[in-house]
Amino acid sequence: MELKKDSNAVAIDMLLIVHSEKRRAAQSTHLDPQAEPDARLQNGGGFQGVGNGIRKWQKLEGNDLHGNLAEKQHPQQPQVITSYDNQGTQLTVEVHPRDAMPQFLKKFSLAKRLQGDKNGNTRPRQPGNKDAHAYPWDRSSLKSMPLDLQQFEKVDTYASQVTVKSGLDELVSDLLQEAHSDLERVRAIWIWICHHIEYDIEAAQEKDRQAFKPTDILRTQKTNCDGYAGLFERMCSSVDLCHMPSPKLEFANSALESKIAGVQCMTVPGYSKGFGYQMGQSFSGEFDHAWNAVYLEGRWHLLDSTWGSGLVDKATSKFTFLYNEFYFLTHPALFIEDHFPDNKNWQLLKPPQSLRQFENSMYHKSEFYNKGMLSAHPDVSMIRTVNGKATITIESCAPTLFMFMLNGKQEHGLLSLRKNGMKLEVYPPTMGTHKLQIFAKGNSDLYSAVLEYTLNCNYVDLGVRLPAELHQPVGPSWFSEQMGILKPSHPDPVIHTRDGRCSISLGVEEGTSVLASLHGDDGPVTEETQRRYIFQLHRENRIELRVQLPHAGRFALKIFVKKRQEPGNYIFVFNYLLCCVNTKVNWPVFPESFGNWGQDNELLEPLSGVLPANRNVPFKLKLHGVAKALVKGQDTWPLTLNHEGYWEGSCSTAGCQEVYVMVLENANHNFYSYILKYRVNTQ
């Protein structure tokens, strides 16, 4: 049969053959006996078992090829005849009982889009050189094609709100109301699956897993990775049906173009570094995961709707919806970090990676890239310490906050922030194997795990003992500048002092208050005592912190800030590590200051908070906004204001245990306020 419209129309040679039911049944016995029922229906989502634990999509719905949620029916089977010419053009004809509606229409398969094998069967074009991306990652984009995610806002909002009414094809038809290109159609399907289908943990853990039917997935809205990938492929294949005219044999150009507009999609089985993955593990035997490849704008692209939908809590084994944009059209050089396909061509990489390379490569979690990380060093997951220390650096595209945990605790490390990354030095406290986790904050309010290392330590430097209260980060950085601390006198995070004393100067933005406290490993100390080893002086827009270490050792000097006009508590910003090896150091605390000690006041002497007994002790202070000042011990000694603006005088410590500095702020009143307190040494 030859059909022609005009010189520009498509010419189709068609041979129509009708077999009896008996002959058709006899022919079917020559098909693959290992294929499960209806698994041979390739374009209807057929995806037969591959003998490796990942089940390809199968047609298990009887004759309900549209995936409707209606009860299973048993109408008379239609006859299906397919013909090909030498150009790869396919024509499929279904012969139905009178007045019956066709239930399945095969896709047109043009030579440019689909290939035919020697038996005339059609299949999507296999990936080739033009699909391959360079490895390693060139840092150009997280995606395999240029995308402006803002262009999807309308499609995303609409698709996420679509509900299942009856069947799969109607669902796809509803989803695509706001989609006007193949890319938007794929996006709409992706968004719907990621926001509506829950990962079925129990089914995933069954040894003899059964394939998920599309109708069951829509009904329960649960599945495993096989089901996610299969459903995605099936919904993409339904795109053609939803964008065709009514099911009649029309051969005009418009009908053919409508058929050509469908989205090619493949399900790809393979190994993954997902739930339950242990660093350094090897992969063999059955594949443990499945994902998809879609054909868009002349190239194949990769996506994983299972991992795009949420995550499983290892502790509770519960699934939580948490959308992850990273796994939509991921750049293949990044996708290979946790996805290894059964066929190396589906890596879409040049050169492709071996399974051994996949096993040994560094695993960057998706949040590593979502939060703007670019690279990490070392780039292997298992590292050895050198002289008891391991150093890790991360490069990011923007300033980012980091933290770490060694064996579940934020101890035994120095983490300093950089404008484009961070540096971490870790000192494991014992020999053996240690788990190091690194977290990043990015633009969100929560820290997320981005890297994990295994540290092998064969030497412990006993001379390095970091205070348990040494929190992260150490040293000033872009973050402290953002919080109002400017131009520090000590830009490095570690300060060494020979005599146990040091003076640190910090520029402070107007309206910002600074609080500092000193922490060692001497056991519990009151907050007030922690601050009394530091005396704070204010000079115009700078603050000087005079520190006296109580003894030799390593101490954390914590810096907190607060905007004076804002409610709430002081916020931790950073700390210095203060080190002193001089065992002769034994400095007392500074005097205790009270709330009336003004920020612009200055104490020259005495700086020690413990005064000698039975001595005359000189006092010299700069006090602002006071009418009178005195020192009170056993008796009272007034201080006088000299020409330099300092209040001066002396006090005898005989017969007293405590000495106070007091001020009168208003000359018209007789009420004196305490501003400093000293203790008298009784020994």
Side-chain angles (χ1 to χ4, degrees), residues 28-75:
S28 67
T29 60
H30 297 289
L31 297 173
D32 182 2
Q34 300 300 320
E36 299 185 41
D38 289 321
R40 299 177 291 276
L41 294 178
Q42 180 181 1
N43 285 335
F47 198 66
Q48 71 187 59
V50 293
N52 51 27
I54 294 294
R55 294 168 179 76
K56 296 191 177 182
W57 263 101
Q58 308 168 33
K59 297 302 300 180
L60 296 176
E61 292 299 294
N63 296 313
D64 188 5
L65 299 176
H66 286 265
N68 293 321
L69 294 176
E71 294 183 1
K72 190 172 181 180
Q73 300 177 356
H74 300 277

Side-chain angles (χ1 to χ4, degrees), residues 23-259:
R23 182 172 181 182
R24 186 179 178 211
Q27 288 178 335
S28 67
T29 60
H30 297 289
L31 297 173
D32 182 2
Q34 300 300 320
E36 299 185 41
D38 289 321
R40 299 177 291 276
L41 294 178
Q42 180 181 1
N43 285 335
F47 198 66
Q48 71 187 59
V50 293
N52 51 27
I54 294 294
R55 294 168 179 76
K56 296 191 177 182
W57 263 101
Q58 308 168 33
K59 297 302 300 180
L60 296 176
E61 292 299 294
N63 296 313
D64 188 5
L65 299 176
H66 286 265
N68 293 321
L69 294 176
E71 294 183 1
K72 190 172 181 180
Q73 300 177 356
H74 300 277
Q76 182 178 348
Q77 296 286 341
Q79 306 296 315
V80 181
I81 302 97
T82 302
S83 177
Y84 306 87
D85 69 3
N86 56 11
Q87 299 299 318
T89 302
Q90 170 188 334
L91 175 65
T92 298
V93 177
E94 296 182 3
V95 181
H96 298 267
R98 186 182 302 273
D99 299 328
M101 285 293 293
Q103 295 186 9
F104 180 62
L105 291 171
K106 285 269 191 174
K107 293 181 182 179
F108 282 91
S109 304
L110 299 189
K112 293 182 179 180
R113 299 287 298 271
L114 298 179
Q115 298 176 336
D117 62 19
K118 62 182 180 180
N119 298 320
N121 299 318
T122 58
R123 63 186 184 276
R125 180 183 68 78
Q126 294 296 303
N129 287 334
K130 76 172 186 176
D131 301 290
H133 296 252
Y135 185 87
W137 183 45
D138 60 6
R139 300 186 178 187
S140 60
S141 172
L142 300 182
K143 303 296 185 181
S144 55
M145 64 187 297
L147 291 181
D148 178 6
L149 295 181
Q150 292 183 349
Q151 76 182 29
F152 295 132
E153 288 182 357
K154 185 176 180 181
V155 172
D156 290 358
T157 301
Y158 173 80
S160 64
Q161 297 173 355
V162 172
T163 58
V164 179
K165 297 177 181 177
S166 60
L168 186 66
D169 288 338
E170 184 179 357
L171 169 63
V172 175
S173 180
D174 290 343
L175 276 175
L176 303 188
Q177 295 301 313
E178 297 294 335
H180 306 293
S181 66
D182 281 0
L183 175 59
E184 290 186 349
R185 291 169 192 141
V186 169
R187 179 70 178 190
I189 294 171
W190 156 270
I191 286 294
W192 189 88
I193 291 179
C194 288
H195 287 81
H196 290 84
I197 304 302
E198 179 179 345
Y199 188 76
D200 193 333
I201 302 171
E202 293 182 359
Q205 294 175 342
E206 293 177 359
K207 293 183 179 180
D208 187 20
R209 293 177 295 174
Q210 299 298 317
F212 279 82
K213 304 175 185 179
T215 53
D216 288 342
I217 297 176
L218 296 185
R219 176 175 53 81
T220 65
Q221 299 204 343
K222 282 188 175 184
T223 188
N224 61 8
C225 59
D226 303 359
Y228 275 100
L231 180 62
F232 195 95
E233 180 182 355
R234 176 68 180 280
M235 293 177 75
C236 283
S237 71
S238 294
V239 168
D240 277 357
L241 302 178
C242 296
H243 283 74
M244 285 188 63
S246 60
K248 299 177 182 179
L249 295 179
E250 299 181 9
F251 301 101
N253 288 342
S254 60
L256 287 173
E257 290 171 358
S258 168
K259 296 278 277 186

Side-chain angles (χ1 to χ4, degrees), residues 484-504:
I485 297 180
L486 314 172
K487 298 181 180 180
S489 60
H490 293 68
D492 295 329
V494 182
I495 299 175
H496 295 274
T497 170
R498 291 184 179 181
D499 62 358
R501 290 181 173 184
C502 66
S503 177
I504 301 167

Side-chain angles (χ1 to χ4, degrees), residues 75 107 110 211 356-357 370 400 414 416 497 501 603 620:
K107 293 181 182 179
L110 299 189
R356 179 64 61 85
Q357 288 174 307
N370 283 339
T400 305
L414 300 174
S416 54
T497 170
R501 290 181 173 184
L603 174 66
K620 186 174 183 179

